[in-house]
Amino acid sequence: GTESCNETADSCDHSGDPCSDDGFFCNGTESCDETGDSCVSSGSPCVGADELCYELEVRCCEPEATRVCDAAGDVIWQDSCGMPGELVEDCVGGVSGTCVDGVCGCTSGLTGPDCLQCVVYVNGTTGSDSNDGRTWSRAVATIGAGQVAAMASGCEVWVAAGTYYPMTGGGRYESFHLVNGVDLYGGFIGDEISRSQRDYRTNVTTLSGDIGVRGVLTDNVYTVVRGEDNTILDGFTITGGHADGISGSDYFGGGMYNSHRSPTVVNCNFIDNYAEGNGGAMYNDNASPTITNCNFESNLARLLGGAVYNTNSSPVITDSVFYDNVGQHVAGGGMYTWGGSVTATNTLFRFNRTLD
């Protein structure tokens, strides 16, 4: 600093450090550089190399922390302080028409990467089969009605959480019949615009065979689901099939029966299904279904394959679990194969057993 003469005290007074805070938060603090005879600013007080400094808010923020929707309906970055950032995706100007929760989605009734695949919505709680099913607010109530509406335009079907039963006109012979070209997806809460928003673990969507007196097995349908080619079953719990008939699908495959049909089954649970013959949860005859991320638990067959039975079939199974299934009298607590071959990758078999 500078010195001045203090006549009264007969001394020299030092003015001190000539460098002082300039009042700008983002400039940091100043210090005196004796060598350069100057004041040096410490720079931005933000620690991270990428942190943004806001002068008016007097704070530092992480950039690109969250994807959010802006007022125009597009996806933008938002930093950790809630300040808007750069455009991520133009929902309105592109093929997508809606931004929800930071995701560009298709307008209601459409899905797919180009928003060209139509959707039919099913909600057993709020829907009605007199609706057209083209929005959640106009959802149909039953899966059968959803499939009929989807077949007309080649749509896929989104099903909200709840328990669904086959139509009862055929009694125990009724099933959910998969339809060629019509994919079924469960696990929705009932307001999603993108399939990626669903949570099938939380929003449990059950296909139940318990069409008669609840809890009485002997009046359940023989088979809950009948497979088909070129279709996907994704995000469902299949339970309550009771194949205690005499032959065919009445006797085999309480959960699912695939004869000369090879569906794709993903993110599904097969629980508490029964077959008097083979394949408590699934029976494959000259079929090669693709099974991914599925759980087979507590299924029972009196003969072969407590969970799955394969005859001249070659299923491909990935990332799945076979737990506590029983082939009661012969063999294959978890799975039994006669002809064909099974490809199982990253799949766990545990506590499956036979009783004889």
Side-chain angles (χ1 to χ4, degrees):
T2 58
E3 287 188 336
S4 61
C5 183
N6 186 336
E7 293 286 352
T8 304
D10 192 22
S11 64
C12 295
D13 292 339
H14 196 281
S15 64
D17 189 348
C19 302
S20 61
D21 188 357
D22 62 4
F24 292 98
F25 171 72
C26 291
N27 286 344
T29 58
E30 287 191 335
S31 60
C32 186
D33 181 359
E34 288 287 354
T35 304
D37 193 23
S38 63
C39 296
V40 179
S41 175
S42 65
S44 173
C46 302
V47 177
D50 296 328
E51 280 191 332
L52 303 174
C53 185
Y54 290 105
E55 187 67 48
L56 295 179
E57 289 76 14
V58 193
R59 55 184 174 177
C60 299
C61 306
E62 290 287 344
E64 299 186 356
T66 311
R67 291 164 61 113
V68 298
C69 304
D70 68 3
D74 297 320
V75 181
I76 62 169
W77 283 115
Q78 183 182 76
D79 66 28
S80 61
C81 297
M83 302 294 287
E86 294 183 354
L87 177 72
V88 177
E89 190 172 358
D90 182 359
C91 301
V92 178
V95 295
S96 302
T98 308
C99 177
V100 174
D101 296 331
V103 177
C104 250
C106 304
T107 54
S108 185
L110 295 172
T111 189
D114 298 322
C115 294
L116 297 177
Q117 174 67 52
C118 58
V119 179
V120 172
Y121 302 90
V122 178
N123 191 322
T125 302
T126 64
S128 168
D129 284 351
S130 63
N131 293 335
D132 62 9
R134 298 311 299 270
T135 66
W136 281 117
S137 63
R138 304 198 308 269
V140 296
T142 63
I143 291 175
Q147 289 174 306
V148 170
M151 283 190 292
S153 303
C155 303
E156 61 185 50
V157 179
W158 293 6
V159 185
T163 300
Y164 297 83
Y165 303 93
M167 305 298 287
T168 58
R172 298 191 67 197
Y173 292 95
E174 289 287 0
S175 298
F176 292 101
H177 291 259
L178 300 185
V179 177
N180 191 306
V182 176
D183 299 334
L184 291 181
Y185 294 92
F188 296 89
I189 197 170
D191 60 6
E192 294 87 347
I193 63 168
S194 170
R195 207 188 306 142
S196 64
Q197 292 177 294
R198 69 175 179 150
D199 185 347
Y200 60 86
R201 294 183 179 88
T202 300
N203 305 318
V204 178
T205 311
T206 300
L207 306 182
S208 174
D210 193 4
I211 61 170
V213 179
R214 299 292 184 256
V216 176
L217 298 177
T218 53
D219 61 3
N220 289 13
V221 298
Y222 293 118
T223 296
V224 179
V225 179
R226 294 175 189 265
E228 181 55 85
D229 290 329
N230 188 34
T231 187
I232 298 172
L233 182 71
D234 184 333
F236 292 90
T237 293
I238 295 91
T239 188
H242 199 76
D244 61 350
I246 299 174
S247 63
S249 60
D250 307 341
Y251 187 64
F252 302 130
M256 187 173 198
Y257 185 86
N258 299 313
S259 178
H260 298 267
R261 302 288 188 271
S262 300
T264 296
V265 184
V266 186
N267 302 322
C268 286
N269 296 309
F270 290 81
I271 300 174
D272 290 330
N273 297 287
Y274 173 80
E276 189 77 11
N278 303 326
M282 181 182 292
Y283 180 86
N284 298 315
D285 174 15
N286 288 277
S288 298
T290 299
I291 301 167
T292 305
N293 196 36
C294 289
N295 177 53
F296 296 83
E297 182 176 345
S298 301
N299 300 285
L300 171 66
R302 288 202 64 187
L303 297 181
L304 301 165
V308 176
Y309 177 87
N310 306 302
T311 177
N312 300 317
S313 298
S314 299
V316 177
I317 305 171
T318 307
D319 297 333
S320 296
V321 175
F322 289 72
Y323 177 81
D324 195 32
N325 301 286
V326 178
Q328 188 170 1
H329 288 311
V330 184
M335 182 185 301
Y336 189 92
T337 300
W338 180 265
S341 62
V342 176
T343 301
T345 304
N346 195 32
T347 294
L348 175 67
F349 290 81
R350 190 174 187 189
F351 298 136
N352 304 288
R353 61 199 183 278
T354 59
L355 299 182
D356 290 348

